[in-house]
């Protein structure tokens, strides 16, 4: 007789982006501490069965002599200690290579054991509770169709057609606009395909805005790191009942998330603009970041230093928009940034597969290429 699985309670958070240029690391670390009630055994989080750090703990490559190193290392030790003290399984999923740079693995490597695991490949794990969990790290591989075929291959090997829950780092096609570049489209997962393969919740990080689609829950980023992210930040506690009687989720807000506020000027009248800014910034805490967006040549921009002096307790900045676009559409502008690419033994296979995908190579060929690249890595 098959033993009935108990209700599984687990917390998913990701896109923390420590060592960010604009959001102080210690500020975010303190917010994490608040989320876990300073890692007290009396915290509601202590009743969890599982915690998933769902990728992108780091924002960029960090030199070891930076002061953030000790701050982040001490936090990792606190989290692991909290999990072990309260018998909580900890899983760390590999995030975007251009953010984590394998630093996530190095950070938790001293603590690896049966209850603390780092996942860098697609796999299915049977948790100590008996629940099955599908992991999809980011860009492993950098092609959504190939990733799905690997999932099906694993399912076939294990003789299963579904898992209880899944967690991913990446994006589903409904999370991004339809006019994204072709190379990006190839990385976007099909939500319906995964809903067919997962009984319970699918958690996914990478897109910073939280969203829900059927049983797919995107927690969004833990804290704010940029303008245009004024929605609530935090993580999600899931309750999964294999019998379906008590299955639900709860968004746990990081109420102290850093403030990034954008104010769009829709008039060139300086008095009206000052009144608008006064109204919008009223009550903001010190050092909040405020961006004033308006057209080139706007009267407020000619002597912006005076605006900064007026709100000296805030971090004021200006953003020049197109002269004929001073409305909400301006928020959709895309700014091109340079991100250096480091090629090493752990990412070269994914990079090669990505280039093959862009050339519309048949999925069967991609599967074969993936197998050959695995052999070269061994």
């Amino acid at each position: 007789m098959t033993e009935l699985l108990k209700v599984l309670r687990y917390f998913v958070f990701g896109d923390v982006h420590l060592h960010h240029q604009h959001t102080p690391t210690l500020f975010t670390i303190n917010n994490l501490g608040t989320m876990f009630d300073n890692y007290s055994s009396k915290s509601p989080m202590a009743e969890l069965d599982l915690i998933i750090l769902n990728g992108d703990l780091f924002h960029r490559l960090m030199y070891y002599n930076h002061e953030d190193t000790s701050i982040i290392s001490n936090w990792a030790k606190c989290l692991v200690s909290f999990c072990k003290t309260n018998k909580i399984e900890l899983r760390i999923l590999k995030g975007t290579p251009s953010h984590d740079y394998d630093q996530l693995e190095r950070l938790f490597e001293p603590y690896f054991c049966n209850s603390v695991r780092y996942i860098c490949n697609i796999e299915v794990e049977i948790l100590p509770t008996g629940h099955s969990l599908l992991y999809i790290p980011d860009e492993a591989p950098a092609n959504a169709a190939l990733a799905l075929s690997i999932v099906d291959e694993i399912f076939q090997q294990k003789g299963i057609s579904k898992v209880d829950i899944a967690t991913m780092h990446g994006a589903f096609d409904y999370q991004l606009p339809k006019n994204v570049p072709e190379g990006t489209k190839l990385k976007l997962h099909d939500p319906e395909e995964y809903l067919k393969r997962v009984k319970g919740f699918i958690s996914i990080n990478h897109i910073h805005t939280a969203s829900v689609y059927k049983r797919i829950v995107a927690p969004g980023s833990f804290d704010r790191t940029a303008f245009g992210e004024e929605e609530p930040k935090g993580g999600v506690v899931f309750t999964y009942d294999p019998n379906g009687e008590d299955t639900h989720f709860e968004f746990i807000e990081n109420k102290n998330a850093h403030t990034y506020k954008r104010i769009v000027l829709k008039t060139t009248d300086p008095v009206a603009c000052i009144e608008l800014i006064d109204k919008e910034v009223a009550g903001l805490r010190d050092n909040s970041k405020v961006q004033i967006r308006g057209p080139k040549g706007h009267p407020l921009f000619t002597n912006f230093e005076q605006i900064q002096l007026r709100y000296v307790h805030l971090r004021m900045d200006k953003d020049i928009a197109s002269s004929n676009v001073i409305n909400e559409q301006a928020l959709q502008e895309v700014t091109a940034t340079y991100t250096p690419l480091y090629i090493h033994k752990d990412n070269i296979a994914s990079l090669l597969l990505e280039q093959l995908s862009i050339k519309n190579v048949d999925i069967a060929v991609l599967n074969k290429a993936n197998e050959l690249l695995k052999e070269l890595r061994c």
Side-chain angles (χ1 to χ4, degrees):
M1 184 175 178
T2 304
E3 185 179 349
L4 292 177
L5 295 176
K6 69 167 190 171
V7 172
L8 179 73
R9 295 189 73 248
Y10 61 104
F11 178 61
V12 178
F13 72 107
D15 295 302
V16 184
H17 292 280
L18 299 178
H19 193 52
H20 194 275
Q21 298 95 320
H22 305 300
T23 301
T25 294
L26 185 58
F27 182 91
T28 305
I29 290 290
N30 287 338
N31 285 344
L32 283 165
T34 300
M35 181 73 70
F36 286 90
D37 299 289
N38 293 319
Y39 310 101
S40 166
S41 292
K42 296 180 181 179
S43 169
M45 294 290 194
E47 302 299 319
L48 296 167
D49 300 299
L50 168 70
I51 292 174
I52 300 174
L53 203 177
N54 219 23
D56 286 6
L57 177 69
F58 292 89
H59 181 69
R60 55 182 172 145
L61 192 62
M62 182 175 67
Y63 290 108
Y64 195 75
N65 63 351
H66 197 282
E67 62 182 10
D68 284 353
T69 303
S70 57
I71 295 172
I72 296 170
S73 298
N74 288 335
W75 169 78
K77 184 178 180 180
C78 285
L79 179 64
V80 172
S81 176
F82 175 79
C83 290
K84 289 190 173 182
T85 299
N86 296 289
K87 296 181 171 56
I88 302 169
E89 297 290 315
L90 177 61
R91 298 295 180 267
I92 304 114
L93 188 69
K94 183 175 183 177
T96 305
S98 60
H99 284 309
D100 277 338
Y101 285 104
D102 295 324
Q103 297 173 115
L104 191 50
E105 180 179 12
R106 299 284 89 83
L107 176 65
F108 285 95
E109 196 169 32
Y111 310 109
F112 287 168
C113 59
N114 289 339
S115 62
V116 180
R117 294 191 60 226
Y118 175 77
I119 293 89
C120 60
N121 294 304
I122 297 173
E123 68 168 89
V124 172
E125 178 188 14
I126 305 301
L127 296 169
T129 56
H131 302 86
S132 53
L133 171 51
L134 168 65
Y135 301 100
I136 310 284
D138 196 15
E139 300 187 14
N143 178 283
L146 180 55
L148 189 63
S149 71
I150 293 172
V151 170
D152 286 340
E153 183 180 338
I154 293 172
F155 279 21
Q156 186 176 13
Q157 290 171 354
K158 293 183 174 291
I160 59 175
S161 59
K162 289 187 176 184
V163 291
D164 288 301
I165 57 173
T167 196
M168 311 169 69
H169 196 98
F172 286 105
D173 54 18
Y174 68 84
Q175 292 181 280
L176 292 176
K178 293 184 179 180
N179 60 344
V180 296
E182 199 59 38
T184 301
K185 285 183 181 178
L186 294 169
K187 298 180 182 180
L188 300 180
H189 300 287
D190 183 338
E192 303 304 330
E193 290 294 338
Y194 281 91
L195 286 167
K196 287 190 294 187
R197 292 164 173 79
V198 182
K199 302 173 189 175
F201 292 114
I202 301 170
S203 51
I204 185 165
N205 276 86
H206 184 57
I207 303 300
H208 286 197
T209 301
S211 64
V212 179
Y213 175 78
K214 297 182 180 179
R215 288 178 284 108
I216 299 173
V217 181
S221 54
F222 177 79
D223 214 307
R224 295 190 189 91
T225 58
F227 294 103
E229 297 183 7
E230 296 179 24
E231 69 277 354
K233 298 297 177 182
V236 175
V237 170
F238 294 89
T239 300
Y240 170 65
D241 183 353
N243 300 314
E245 296 176 3
D246 187 26
T247 293
H248 60 275
F249 67 89
E250 179 185 2
F251 181 77
I252 309 297
E253 185 178 356
N254 170 13
K255 295 181 179 179
N256 195 46
H258 205 59
T259 302
Y260 284 78
K261 189 171 185 62
R262 175 183 282 150
I263 302 171
V264 180
L265 304 179
K266 298 182 180 180
T267 176
T268 55
D269 178 6
V271 175
C273 289
I274 292 294
E275 289 177 351
L276 172 67
I277 296 172
D278 282 346
K279 179 182 176 181
E280 292 291 326
V281 304
L284 292 184
R285 60 192 167 193
D286 290 356
N287 294 316
S288 293
K289 291 180 173 60
V290 179
Q291 183 187 78
I292 309 300
R293 170 171 278 184
K296 185 177 181 180
H298 193 284
L300 257 61
F301 293 167
T302 57
N303 194 10
F304 196 70
E305 291 79 6
Q306 292 302 313
I307 298 296
Q308 292 172 318
L309 288 173
R310 180 183 177 90
Y311 308 99
V312 69
H313 64 296
L314 302 173
R315 304 282 293 277
M316 303 291 289
D317 194 14
K318 61 182 177 181
D319 182 52
I320 298 173
S322 172
S323 58
N324 61 345
V325 182
I326 318 173
N327 52 41
E328 293 304 316
Q329 291 180 358
L331 303 183
Q332 304 302 319
E333 292 179 0
V334 176
T335 303
T337 57
Y338 169 71
T339 302
L341 176 64
Y342 296 90
I343 301 175
H344 50 81
K345 65 181 180 67
D346 292 323
N347 73 353
I348 190 168
S350 179
L351 293 172
L352 287 170
L353 288 170
E354 182 178 353
Q355 291 304 310
L356 288 172
S357 299
I358 293 172
K359 299 180 185 298
N360 294 318
V361 175
D362 184 77
I363 189 68
V365 176
L366 285 176
N367 269 313
K368 184 61 178 177
N370 189 45
E371 290 300 319
L372 292 171
L373 288 167
K374 279 183 181 177
E375 291 178 14
L376 287 174
R377 290 199 297 268
C378 294

